DNA sequence: CGTCAAACTATGCAGGTGCTTAGTTATTTG
DNA sequence: CAAATAACTAAGCACCTGCATAGTTTGACG
Protein backbone atom coordinates (compact mmCIF):
# COMPACT_ATOMS: atom_id res chain seq x y z
CA UNK A 1 0.00 0.00 0.00
CA UNK A 2 2.65 2.51 1.05
CA UNK A 3 6.22 2.43 -0.23
CA UNK A 4 7.33 -1.12 -0.79
CA UNK A 5 10.64 -1.19 1.05
CA UNK A 6 11.75 -0.18 4.52
CA UNK A 7 11.71 3.28 6.00
CA UNK A 8 14.76 5.43 6.31
CA UNK A 9 16.46 5.92 9.64
CA UNK A 10 14.31 8.17 11.86
CA UNK A 11 11.02 7.57 10.07
CA UNK A 12 9.96 4.55 12.09
CA UNK A 13 7.89 6.44 14.62
CA UNK A 14 5.79 8.22 12.02
CA UNK A 15 5.37 5.00 10.07
CA UNK A 16 4.10 3.27 13.21
CA UNK A 17 1.51 5.96 13.89
CA UNK A 18 0.22 5.84 10.32
CA UNK A 19 0.19 2.04 10.45
CA UNK A 20 -1.80 2.12 13.69
CA UNK A 21 -4.56 4.15 12.05
CA UNK A 22 -4.62 1.80 9.06
CA UNK A 23 -4.70 -1.34 11.15
CA UNK A 24 -7.49 -0.08 13.43
CA UNK A 25 -9.50 1.09 10.42
CA UNK A 26 -9.11 -2.19 8.55
CA UNK A 27 -9.16 -4.77 11.34
CA UNK A 28 -10.71 -2.95 14.30
CA UNK A 29 -9.25 -2.48 17.75
CA UNK A 30 -9.08 -6.22 18.28
CA UNK A 31 -6.83 -6.42 15.22
CA UNK A 32 -4.46 -3.87 16.74
CA UNK A 33 -1.42 -5.95 17.69
CA UNK A 34 2.28 -5.16 17.84
CA UNK A 35 2.93 -7.61 15.02
CA UNK A 36 0.18 -6.26 12.74
CA UNK A 37 1.26 -2.65 13.17
CA UNK A 38 4.95 -3.39 12.79
CA UNK A 39 4.40 -5.42 9.62
CA UNK A 40 2.40 -2.64 7.98
CA UNK A 41 5.02 -0.12 9.09
CA UNK A 42 7.83 -2.41 7.89
CA UNK A 43 9.71 -2.29 11.18
CA UNK A 44 10.46 -4.68 14.02
CA UNK A 45 7.62 -4.99 16.50
CA UNK A 46 9.81 -4.09 19.48
CA UNK A 47 10.25 -0.64 18.01
CA UNK A 48 6.78 0.09 19.34
CA UNK A 49 7.93 -0.57 22.88
CA UNK A 50 10.96 1.62 22.24
CA UNK A 51 8.99 4.62 21.00
CA UNK A 52 5.75 4.35 22.92
CA UNK A 53 6.29 1.93 25.79
CA UNK A 54 2.92 0.23 25.88
CA UNK A 55 0.13 -0.52 23.43
CA UNK A 56 -2.14 1.89 25.27
CA UNK A 57 0.39 4.68 24.77
CA UNK A 58 0.64 3.82 21.08
CA UNK A 59 -3.11 4.20 20.65
CA UNK A 60 -3.12 7.42 22.62
CA UNK A 61 -0.42 8.95 20.43
CA UNK A 62 -2.10 7.65 17.29
CA UNK A 63 -5.28 9.44 18.34
CA UNK A 64 -3.44 12.74 18.69
CA UNK A 65 -1.66 12.12 15.41
CA UNK A 66 -4.91 11.30 13.60
CA UNK A 67 -6.98 14.18 14.97
CA UNK A 68 -4.45 16.77 13.81
CA UNK A 69 -4.71 15.15 10.41
CA UNK A 70 -8.52 15.20 10.38
CA UNK A 71 -8.70 18.85 9.51
CA UNK A 72 -10.22 18.35 6.10
CA UNK A 73 -13.54 17.19 7.52
CA UNK A 74 -13.43 20.06 9.98
CA UNK A 75 -13.00 22.46 7.07
CA UNK A 76 -15.94 20.79 5.41
CA UNK A 77 -18.05 21.19 8.54
CA UNK A 78 -17.34 24.89 8.49
CA UNK A 79 -18.49 25.22 4.88
CA UNK A 80 -20.73 28.14 4.18
CA UNK A 81 -23.53 26.12 2.66
CA UNK A 82 -24.72 22.54 2.96
CA UNK A 83 -25.71 22.18 -0.66
CA UNK A 84 -25.22 19.75 -3.55
CA UNK A 85 -21.53 20.49 -3.93
CA UNK A 86 -20.93 20.08 -0.20
CA UNK A 87 -22.76 16.76 -0.22
CA UNK A 88 -20.78 15.52 -3.20
CA UNK A 89 -17.49 16.60 -1.61
CA UNK A 90 -18.29 14.91 1.71
CA UNK A 91 -19.39 11.65 0.13
CA UNK A 92 -16.36 11.60 -2.13
CA UNK A 93 -14.00 12.30 0.77
CA UNK A 94 -15.39 9.39 2.77
CA UNK A 95 -15.24 7.06 -0.21
CA UNK A 96 -11.65 8.02 -1.00
CA UNK A 97 -10.19 8.02 2.51
CA UNK A 98 -12.34 6.02 4.89
CA UNK A 99 -9.48 5.17 7.26
CA UNK A 100 -9.39 8.34 9.33
CA UNK A 101 -13.15 8.28 9.84
CA UNK A 102 -13.24 4.59 10.74
CA UNK A 103 -10.40 5.14 13.17
CA UNK A 104 -12.33 7.95 14.81
CA UNK A 105 -15.43 5.80 15.35
CA UNK A 106 -13.34 3.05 16.91
CA UNK A 107 -11.54 5.58 19.03
CA UNK A 108 -14.62 7.40 20.29
CA UNK A 109 -16.19 4.10 21.34
CA UNK A 110 -12.97 3.14 23.09
CA UNK A 111 -12.88 6.51 24.84
CA UNK A 112 -15.95 5.45 26.80
CA UNK A 113 -13.90 2.64 28.36
CA UNK A 114 -10.58 4.46 28.74
CA UNK A 115 -10.87 7.72 30.68
CA UNK A 116 -7.50 8.96 29.42
CA UNK A 117 -8.94 9.11 25.88
CA UNK A 118 -12.12 10.97 26.88
CA UNK A 119 -10.61 14.43 26.82
CA UNK A 120 -9.35 14.07 23.26
CA UNK A 121 -12.60 12.53 22.08
CA UNK A 122 -14.58 15.42 23.54
CA UNK A 123 -12.17 17.96 22.04
CA UNK A 124 -12.49 16.35 18.63
CA UNK A 125 -16.28 16.41 18.61
CA UNK A 126 -16.58 19.87 20.14
CA UNK A 127 -14.12 21.14 17.55
CA UNK A 128 -16.33 19.93 14.73
CA UNK A 129 -19.49 21.26 16.38
CA UNK A 130 -18.00 24.66 17.18
CA UNK A 131 -16.84 25.13 13.60
CA UNK A 132 -20.29 24.23 12.38
CA UNK A 133 -21.95 26.56 14.89
CA UNK A 134 -19.89 29.53 13.70
CA UNK A 135 -21.10 28.84 10.20
CA UNK A 136 -24.73 28.71 11.38
CA UNK A 137 -24.36 31.98 13.29
CA UNK A 138 -23.03 33.68 10.16
CA UNK A 139 -26.10 32.57 8.25
CA UNK A 140 -28.41 34.03 10.89
CA UNK A 141 -29.70 30.93 12.63
CA UNK A 142 -30.93 30.93 16.22
CA UNK A 143 -30.34 28.39 19.01
CA UNK A 144 -27.13 27.63 17.20
CA UNK A 145 -25.46 25.50 19.87
CA UNK A 146 -28.11 22.80 19.91
CA UNK A 147 -28.70 23.19 16.18
CA UNK A 148 -25.01 22.68 15.43
CA UNK A 149 -24.93 19.58 17.61
CA UNK A 150 -27.95 18.15 15.81
CA UNK A 151 -26.65 18.91 12.33
CA UNK A 152 -23.21 17.53 13.11
CA UNK A 153 -24.80 14.40 14.54
CA UNK A 154 -26.72 14.00 11.29
CA UNK A 155 -23.56 14.31 9.20
CA UNK A 156 -21.70 12.01 11.59
CA UNK A 157 -24.46 9.44 11.42
CA UNK A 158 -24.59 9.61 7.65
CA UNK A 159 -20.83 9.13 7.39
CA UNK A 160 -21.17 6.06 9.59
CA UNK A 161 -23.95 4.82 7.34
CA UNK A 162 -21.88 5.32 4.20
CA UNK A 163 -18.98 3.44 5.77
CA UNK A 164 -21.14 0.48 6.74
CA UNK A 165 -24.66 -0.03 5.43
CA UNK A 166 -25.66 2.59 2.86
CA UNK A 167 -24.58 3.48 -0.66
CA UNK A 168 -22.98 6.83 -1.44
CA UNK A 169 -25.88 8.19 -3.48
CA UNK A 170 -28.42 7.70 -0.70
CA UNK A 171 -26.10 9.43 1.71
CA UNK A 172 -25.60 12.31 -0.70
CA UNK A 173 -29.36 12.80 -1.02
CA UNK A 174 -29.75 12.76 2.75
CA UNK A 175 -27.00 15.35 3.17
CA UNK A 176 -28.76 17.64 0.70
CA UNK A 177 -31.92 17.06 2.71
CA UNK A 178 -30.19 18.45 5.79
CA UNK A 179 -29.31 21.59 3.87
CA UNK A 180 -32.95 21.95 2.83
CA UNK A 181 -34.09 21.56 6.43
CA UNK A 182 -31.74 24.34 7.49
CA UNK A 183 -33.04 26.65 4.76
CA UNK A 184 -36.63 25.98 5.74
CA UNK A 185 -35.72 26.71 9.33
CA UNK A 186 -34.17 30.07 8.40
CA UNK A 187 -37.27 31.14 6.49
CA UNK A 188 -39.52 30.00 9.31
CA UNK A 189 -37.54 32.19 11.72
CA UNK A 190 -38.06 35.21 9.50
CA UNK A 191 -41.74 34.56 8.86
CA UNK A 192 -43.08 32.87 12.01
CA UNK A 193 -46.45 31.21 11.67
CA UNK B 1 -25.17 -8.05 37.85
CA UNK B 2 -27.57 -10.80 36.82
CA UNK B 3 -28.57 -13.64 39.14
CA UNK B 4 -25.70 -14.48 41.43
CA UNK B 5 -25.49 -18.22 41.05
CA UNK B 6 -25.39 -20.57 38.12
CA UNK B 7 -28.04 -21.01 35.47
CA UNK B 8 -30.43 -23.89 35.43
CA UNK B 9 -30.00 -26.74 33.00
CA UNK B 10 -30.83 -25.55 29.49
CA UNK B 11 -30.39 -21.84 30.11
CA UNK B 12 -26.70 -21.70 29.20
CA UNK B 13 -27.18 -20.74 25.60
CA UNK B 14 -29.37 -17.74 26.39
CA UNK B 15 -27.01 -16.69 29.17
CA UNK B 16 -24.10 -16.78 26.74
CA UNK B 17 -25.87 -14.58 24.20
CA UNK B 18 -26.79 -12.02 26.84
CA UNK B 19 -23.25 -12.14 28.22
CA UNK B 20 -21.82 -11.57 24.74
CA UNK B 21 -23.78 -8.33 24.38
CA UNK B 22 -22.66 -7.17 27.83
CA UNK B 23 -19.03 -8.00 27.26
CA UNK B 24 -18.88 -6.29 23.86
CA UNK B 25 -20.67 -3.23 25.24
CA UNK B 26 -18.41 -2.94 28.28
CA UNK B 27 -15.04 -4.06 26.90
CA UNK B 28 -15.37 -3.74 23.13
CA UNK B 29 -14.85 -6.42 20.51
CA UNK B 30 -11.25 -6.87 21.62
CA UNK B 31 -12.55 -7.75 25.06
CA UNK B 32 -14.77 -10.46 23.60
CA UNK B 33 -13.06 -13.69 24.68
CA UNK B 34 -14.39 -17.14 25.51
CA UNK B 35 -13.26 -16.70 29.11
CA UNK B 36 -14.81 -13.25 29.54
CA UNK B 37 -18.18 -14.30 28.13
CA UNK B 38 -18.31 -17.58 30.02
CA UNK B 39 -17.46 -15.90 33.32
CA UNK B 40 -20.23 -13.34 32.90
CA UNK B 41 -22.62 -16.10 31.88
CA UNK B 42 -21.45 -18.28 34.79
CA UNK B 43 -20.73 -21.29 32.60
CA UNK B 44 -17.68 -23.17 31.41
CA UNK B 45 -15.99 -21.56 28.41
CA UNK B 46 -16.16 -24.72 26.32
CA UNK B 47 -19.94 -24.42 26.34
CA UNK B 48 -19.48 -21.70 23.71
CA UNK B 49 -17.83 -24.18 21.38
CA UNK B 50 -20.59 -26.65 22.10
CA UNK B 51 -23.45 -24.29 21.29
CA UNK B 52 -21.94 -22.05 18.62
CA UNK B 53 -18.78 -23.70 17.34
CA UNK B 54 -16.61 -20.68 16.75
CA UNK B 55 -16.29 -17.20 18.16
CA UNK B 56 -17.46 -15.75 14.85
CA UNK B 57 -20.63 -17.80 15.05
CA UNK B 58 -21.20 -16.64 18.63
CA UNK B 59 -21.03 -13.00 17.54
CA UNK B 60 -23.29 -13.69 14.59
CA UNK B 61 -25.95 -15.27 16.79
CA UNK B 62 -25.57 -12.53 19.39
CA UNK B 63 -26.28 -9.97 16.68
CA UNK B 64 -29.50 -11.71 15.72
CA UNK B 65 -30.44 -12.09 19.38
CA UNK B 66 -29.75 -8.41 20.10
CA UNK B 67 -31.54 -6.98 17.09
CA UNK B 68 -34.77 -8.75 17.93
CA UNK B 69 -34.43 -7.23 21.39
CA UNK B 70 -33.81 -3.70 20.08
CA UNK B 71 -37.46 -3.09 19.32
CA UNK B 72 -37.90 -0.40 21.91
CA UNK B 73 -35.74 2.06 20.02
CA UNK B 74 -37.53 1.09 16.83
CA UNK B 75 -40.84 1.91 18.49
CA UNK B 76 -39.38 5.23 19.54
CA UNK B 77 -38.25 5.95 15.98
CA UNK B 78 -41.79 5.44 14.82
CA UNK B 79 -43.16 7.90 17.34
CA UNK B 80 -45.71 10.33 16.01
CA UNK B 81 -43.89 13.46 17.11
CA UNK B 82 -40.29 14.32 17.84
CA UNK B 83 -41.02 16.64 20.73
CA UNK B 84 -39.90 17.27 24.30
CA UNK B 85 -41.38 14.04 25.61
CA UNK B 86 -39.81 12.01 22.82
CA UNK B 87 -36.43 13.61 23.50
CA UNK B 88 -36.69 12.92 27.20
CA UNK B 89 -37.70 9.31 26.60
CA UNK B 90 -34.86 8.69 24.15
CA UNK B 91 -32.21 10.21 26.39
CA UNK B 92 -33.50 8.32 29.38
CA UNK B 93 -33.55 5.02 27.48
CA UNK B 94 -29.91 5.45 26.43
CA UNK B 95 -28.85 6.40 29.94
CA UNK B 96 -30.68 3.45 31.48
CA UNK B 97 -29.72 0.73 28.99
CA UNK B 98 -26.63 1.70 27.03
CA UNK B 99 -25.56 -1.89 26.36
CA UNK B 100 -27.73 -2.67 23.37
CA UNK B 101 -26.80 0.59 21.65
CA UNK B 102 -23.09 0.20 22.31
CA UNK B 103 -23.25 -3.35 21.01
CA UNK B 104 -24.92 -2.13 17.84
CA UNK B 105 -22.20 0.44 17.13
CA UNK B 106 -19.49 -2.17 17.62
CA UNK B 107 -21.38 -4.60 15.45
CA UNK B 108 -22.07 -2.19 12.59
CA UNK B 109 -18.38 -1.25 12.44
CA UNK B 110 -17.47 -4.93 12.46
CA UNK B 111 -19.96 -5.61 9.68
CA UNK B 112 -17.76 -3.58 7.36
CA UNK B 113 -14.99 -6.14 7.88
CA UNK B 114 -17.09 -9.28 7.98
CA UNK B 115 -19.36 -9.69 4.94
CA UNK B 116 -21.54 -12.27 6.70
CA UNK B 117 -22.67 -9.56 9.15
CA UNK B 118 -23.46 -6.97 6.48
CA UNK B 119 -26.94 -8.23 5.68
CA UNK B 120 -28.09 -8.01 9.29
CA UNK B 121 -26.51 -4.60 9.75
CA UNK B 122 -28.30 -3.27 6.68
CA UNK B 123 -31.60 -4.82 7.80
CA UNK B 124 -31.27 -3.25 11.25
CA UNK B 125 -30.65 0.25 9.89
CA UNK B 126 -33.23 0.02 7.13
CA UNK B 127 -35.75 -1.18 9.70
CA UNK B 128 -35.23 1.92 11.79
CA UNK B 129 -35.30 4.20 8.77
CA UNK B 130 -38.42 2.63 7.27
CA UNK B 131 -40.31 2.98 10.54
CA UNK B 132 -39.30 6.61 10.72
CA UNK B 133 -40.28 7.20 7.10
CA UNK B 134 -43.79 5.87 7.66
CA UNK B 135 -44.18 8.35 10.49
CA UNK B 136 -42.99 11.21 8.26
CA UNK B 137 -45.38 10.22 5.50
CA UNK B 138 -48.27 10.28 7.94
CA UNK B 139 -47.37 13.82 8.92
CA UNK B 140 -47.38 14.97 5.31
CA UNK B 141 -43.69 15.35 4.59
CA UNK B 142 -42.20 15.10 1.11
CA UNK B 143 -38.99 13.39 -0.06
CA UNK B 144 -39.52 11.10 2.89
CA UNK B 145 -36.92 8.46 2.04
CA UNK B 146 -33.94 10.81 2.14
CA UNK B 147 -35.50 12.81 4.96
CA UNK B 148 -35.98 9.71 7.09
CA UNK B 149 -32.38 8.68 6.48
CA UNK B 150 -31.16 12.12 7.51
CA UNK B 151 -33.32 12.30 10.62
CA UNK B 152 -32.38 8.80 11.70
CA UNK B 153 -28.70 9.62 11.16
CA UNK B 154 -29.14 12.65 13.40
CA UNK B 155 -30.72 10.57 16.16
CA UNK B 156 -28.12 7.85 15.71
CA UNK B 157 -25.30 10.37 15.86
CA UNK B 158 -26.77 11.98 18.98
CA UNK B 159 -27.09 8.62 20.71
CA UNK B 160 -23.43 7.96 19.92
CA UNK B 161 -22.59 11.39 21.35
CA UNK B 162 -24.51 10.71 24.54
CA UNK B 163 -22.74 7.40 24.96
CA UNK B 164 -19.30 8.91 24.55
CA UNK B 165 -18.66 12.64 24.63
CA UNK B 166 -21.79 14.64 25.43
CA UNK B 167 -24.06 15.07 28.45
CA UNK B 168 -27.68 13.99 28.36
CA UNK B 169 -29.13 17.51 28.54
CA UNK B 170 -27.25 18.74 25.48
CA UNK B 171 -28.42 15.71 23.56
CA UNK B 172 -31.99 16.28 24.65
CA UNK B 173 -31.90 19.87 23.42
CA UNK B 174 -30.47 18.75 20.10
CA UNK B 175 -33.20 16.14 19.68
CA UNK B 176 -35.85 18.80 20.27
CA UNK B 177 -34.04 20.89 17.68
CA UNK B 178 -34.55 18.13 15.11
CA UNK B 179 -38.26 18.16 15.83
CA UNK B 180 -38.31 21.93 15.30
CA UNK B 181 -36.48 21.56 11.97
CA UNK B 182 -39.09 19.07 10.81
CA UNK B 183 -41.93 21.40 11.79
CA UNK B 184 -40.34 24.30 9.94
CA UNK B 185 -39.91 22.06 6.92
CA UNK B 186 -43.59 21.11 6.96
CA UNK B 187 -44.71 24.74 7.08
CA UNK B 188 -42.25 25.70 4.35
CA UNK B 189 -43.77 23.01 2.15
CA UNK B 190 -47.25 24.39 2.70
CA UNK B 191 -46.27 28.03 2.26
CA UNK B 192 -43.37 28.08 -0.22
CA UNK B 193 -41.39 31.35 -0.42
C1' DC C 1 38.49 9.60 12.39
C1' DG C 2 36.26 8.45 17.45
C1' DT C 3 32.49 9.05 20.71
C1' DC C 4 27.94 8.85 21.93
C1' DA C 5 22.99 8.84 21.99
C1' DA C 6 19.18 7.41 19.71
C1' DA C 7 16.93 4.44 16.36
C1' DC C 8 16.46 -0.02 15.38
C1' DT C 9 16.54 -5.48 15.50
C1' DA C 10 16.85 -10.55 17.28
C1' DT C 11 15.50 -13.55 20.63
C1' DG C 12 12.61 -15.23 23.86
C1' DC C 13 9.24 -15.81 27.62
C1' DA C 14 5.15 -15.81 30.64
C1' DG C 15 0.50 -15.42 30.20
C1' DG C 16 -3.74 -15.42 27.48
C1' DT C 17 -6.19 -17.11 23.25
C1' DG C 18 -9.54 -20.20 20.56
C1' DC C 19 -10.80 -24.56 20.47
C1' DT C 20 -10.19 -29.89 20.82
C1' DT C 21 -10.78 -34.14 23.33
C1' DA C 22 -12.67 -36.82 26.70
C1' DG C 23 -15.68 -37.29 30.19
C1' DT C 24 -19.88 -36.16 33.40
C1' DT C 25 -24.50 -34.78 34.44
C1' DA C 26 -29.33 -33.74 33.60
C1' DT C 27 -33.58 -34.38 30.79
C1' DT C 28 -36.39 -36.71 27.68
C1' DT C 29 -38.45 -40.80 25.89
C1' DG C 30 -39.92 -45.56 25.53
C1' DC D 1 -36.59 -48.09 35.18
C1' DA D 2 -33.23 -48.10 31.17
C1' DA D 3 -31.55 -46.05 27.11
C1' DA D 4 -30.59 -42.19 24.44
C1' DT D 5 -29.67 -37.45 23.77
C1' DA D 6 -28.31 -33.07 24.78
C1' DA D 7 -26.30 -29.77 28.12
C1' DC D 8 -22.45 -29.10 30.48
C1' DT D 9 -17.47 -29.43 32.55
C1' DA D 10 -12.24 -30.53 33.20
C1' DA D 11 -7.93 -30.59 31.29
C1' DG D 12 -4.87 -29.27 28.02
C1' DC D 13 -2.55 -27.86 23.60
C1' DA D 14 -0.75 -25.10 19.84
C1' DC D 15 -0.68 -20.56 18.86
C1' DC D 16 -0.48 -15.68 19.55
C1' DT D 17 0.01 -11.76 22.63
C1' DG D 18 2.58 -7.73 24.89
C1' DC D 19 6.76 -6.66 26.12
C1' DA D 20 11.57 -7.27 28.46
C1' DT D 21 16.45 -8.00 27.53
C1' DA D 22 20.38 -7.66 25.08
C1' DG D 23 22.67 -6.37 21.25
C1' DT D 24 23.49 -3.84 16.55
C1' DT D 25 23.27 0.02 13.30
C1' DT D 26 22.84 4.76 12.19
C1' DG D 27 23.71 9.61 12.06
C1' DA D 28 25.36 13.83 14.62
C1' DC D 29 29.15 16.17 16.33
C1' DG D 30 33.84 17.11 17.95
Amino acid sequence: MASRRHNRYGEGREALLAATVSVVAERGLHGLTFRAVSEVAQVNNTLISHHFGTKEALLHEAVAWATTRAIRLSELSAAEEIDESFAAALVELIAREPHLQLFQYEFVLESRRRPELREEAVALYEGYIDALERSLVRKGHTNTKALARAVFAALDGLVLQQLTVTDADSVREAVICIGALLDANLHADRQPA
Side-chain angles (χ1 to χ4, degrees), chain A residues 10 23 50 52 58 60 73 78 95 103 110 120 153:
Chain A
V23 167
H50 172 67
F52 307 102
L58 168 67
H60 198 106
L73 198 117
F103 180 81
E110 184 73 1
E120 280 172 284

Side-chain angles (χ1 to χ4, degrees), chain A residues 74-91:
Chain A
S74 179
E75 289 167 357
L76 261 185
S77 296
E80 288 308 306
E81 283 289 339
I82 297 185
D83 52 13
E84 284 86 352
S85 73
F86 170 88
L90 176 63
V91 164

Side-chain angles (χ1 to χ4, degrees), chain A residues 2-163:
Chain A
S3 59
R4 188 141 304 153
R5 274 242 52 80
H6 299 266
N7 313 282
R8 281 182 248 153
Y9 192 86
E11 293 179 353
R13 193 189 151 95
E14 184 88 1
L16 282 169
L17 291 171
T20 299
V21 172
S22 287
V23 167
V24 170
E26 284 172 15
R27 317 184 201 180
L29 275 170
H30 55 301
L32 181 68
T33 70
F34 278 33
R35 265 84 171 175
V37 171
S38 63
E39 276 163 27
V40 169
Q42 303 248 50
V43 297
N44 189 276
N45 76 78
T46 57
L47 191 60
I48 298 175
S49 298
H50 172 67
H51 278 304
F52 307 102
T54 68
K55 188 174 153 179
E56 289 190 10
L58 168 67
L59 180 60
H60 198 106
E61 300 246 16
V63 164
W65 184 87
T67 50
T68 61
R69 235 143 289 241
I71 312 170
R72 276 159 299 189
L73 198 117
S74 179
E75 289 167 357
L76 261 185
S77 296
E80 288 308 306
E81 283 289 339
I82 297 185
D83 52 13
E84 284 86 352
S85 73
F86 170 88
L90 176 63
V91 164
E92 210 258 337
L93 174 65
I94 303 307
R96 185 157 32 88
E97 299 184 19
H99 279 190
L100 267 180
Q101 309 307 320
L102 286 165
F103 180 81
Q104 282 178 24
Y105 289 115
E106 295 281 350
F107 144 62
V108 77
L109 282 173
E110 184 73 1
S111 77
R112 187 188 156 99
R113 298 166 214 129
R114 308 240 305 254
E116 76 271 19
L117 295 179
R118 267 279 311 228
E119 193 181 351
E120 280 172 284
V122 171
L124 177 66
Y125 267 70
E126 294 305 314
Y128 286 142
I129 293 170
D130 286 350
L132 190 52
E133 185 186 4
R134 269 177 257 122
S135 160
L136 294 176
V137 168
R138 258 179 262 128
K139 282 164 59 180
H141 283 278
T142 60
N143 192 16
T144 53
K145 189 71 196 170
L147 187 62
R149 186 175 302 285
V151 171
F152 173 74
L155 297 176
D156 198 38
L158 285 171
V159 168
L160 181 60
Q161 281 188 39
Q162 184 179 341
L163 288 168

